Amino acid sequence: MVIENLYDVPKLGLGLMRLPKKDGKIDIETSCRMVDESLKNGFYYFDTAYVYDAGDSECAVKPLLTDRYPREQFCLATKLPAWELKTKEDRDRLFNIQLERTGAGYFDFYLLHALSEDKISIYEDLDCFNWMQEKKAQGLIRHAGFSFHDTPEVLDDLLTKHPEVEFVQLQINYADWENKDVQSRGVYEVARKHGKPIIIMEPV
């Protein structure tokens, strides 16, 4: 499945961050039914991250998706965590672990995880924005973006400095629309000003 226009992504996706558990581990049988129901209803976007469930979320992608469905039938998003990066070599090391965990071969959507003012310098010092473009050129990433938790002003500055970013993932819901800490309305308006498609987290 190739998505050229990011606005063609289905309106709902399935987050793999809080999958049901049984005896302290991800309940694969129940989670498979959730994945099947999602795909049956046309929702083929699935979201995980390196750190979700201490890596168990990414590992669950194999039994839930890649071992059971042709790769072209779903889109997979995952994220690179700043707090696990010390050197430039760590970028590829973590990325290769993600490929191995998921068995995905490539990632449709790849994000720098949880950008905020205190993490931006880590990603920039280690040249992660350019690194994602290199992964795109290699066919290992199809779309590069980031998830964000900070003020509209920080987002505006970030998108001004990095116009190559294709999309942003923002926390948007009715409760947080005017919340002074989350500022959903403000960050939404900034992303729209820059013409960036938005993937929404924490919608409910």
Side-chain angles (χ1 to χ4, degrees):
M1 179 178 299
V2 177
I3 295 178
E4 300 294 346
N5 184 347
L6 295 192
Y7 290 100
D8 291 338
V9 174
K11 299 304 181 186
L12 290 175
L14 181 63
L16 306 180
M17 180 180 182
R18 299 184 181 94
L19 292 170
K21 293 189 175 182
K22 188 174 184 180
D23 299 324
K25 296 182 179 180
I26 292 174
D27 184 343
I28 297 298
E29 182 179 353
T30 300
S31 299
C32 279
R33 293 200 299 270
M34 294 167 61
V35 165
D36 294 345
E37 194 67 19
S38 292
L39 287 167
K40 185 175 73 175
N41 287 281
F43 305 130
Y44 51 81
Y45 182 97
F46 298 90
D47 172 273
T48 184
Y50 183 85
V51 296
Y52 289 173
D53 273 328
D56 288 347
S57 174
E58 282 189 337
C59 291
V61 170
K62 268 189 174 182
L64 297 182
L65 283 163
T66 54
D67 287 350
R68 302 171 61 236
Y69 287 97
R71 182 64 181 86
E72 65 273 12
Q73 286 191 13
F74 62 90
C75 288
L76 184 63
T78 194
K79 309 173 190 74
L80 182 73
W83 50 98
E84 296 287 339
L85 298 174
K86 304 299 180 189
T87 67
K88 287 184 176 181
E89 288 71 26
D90 287 334
R91 303 171 306 181
D92 281 333
R93 179 179 63 82
L94 297 182
F95 190 83
N96 290 333
I97 290 172
Q98 292 177 301
L99 287 174
E100 183 178 357
R101 283 175 174 176
T102 62
Y106 62 90
F107 298 110
D108 302 274
F109 295 82
Y110 197 79
L111 300 84
L112 302 180
H113 199 168
L115 266 78
S116 58
E117 194 165 25
D118 63 325
K119 296 185 182 72
I120 291 170
S121 61
I122 298 172
Y123 289 122
E124 290 186 331
D125 290 347
L126 295 178
D127 202 26
C128 290
F129 288 91
N130 286 326
W131 172 81
M132 283 200 297
Q133 297 306 309
E134 293 169 6
K135 292 299 180 191
K136 277 190 66 179
Q138 296 167 14
L140 295 172
I141 293 173
R142 289 192 168 164
H143 301 288
F146 59 80
S147 59
F148 183 81
H149 297 277
D150 212 312
T151 67
E153 293 77 17
V154 171
L155 181 60
D156 191 30
D157 182 62
L158 189 56
L159 290 176
T160 299
K161 287 194 297 183
H162 295 286
E164 72 277 14
V165 168
E166 296 174 79
F167 66 95
V168 295
Q169 183 166 313
L170 303 173
Q171 183 173 328
I172 296 177
N173 55 61
Y174 289 115
D176 290 326
W177 190 245
E178 299 292 352
N179 182 293
K180 63 181 180 62
D181 295 320
V182 181
Q183 300 192 62
S184 290
R185 178 184 58 79
V187 293
Y188 168 84
E189 291 174 352
V190 167
R192 300 304 298 132
K193 183 183 84 169
H194 286 268
K196 301 301 180 183
I198 298 167
I199 294 172
I200 293 174
M201 57 177 146
E202 311 290 350
V204 180

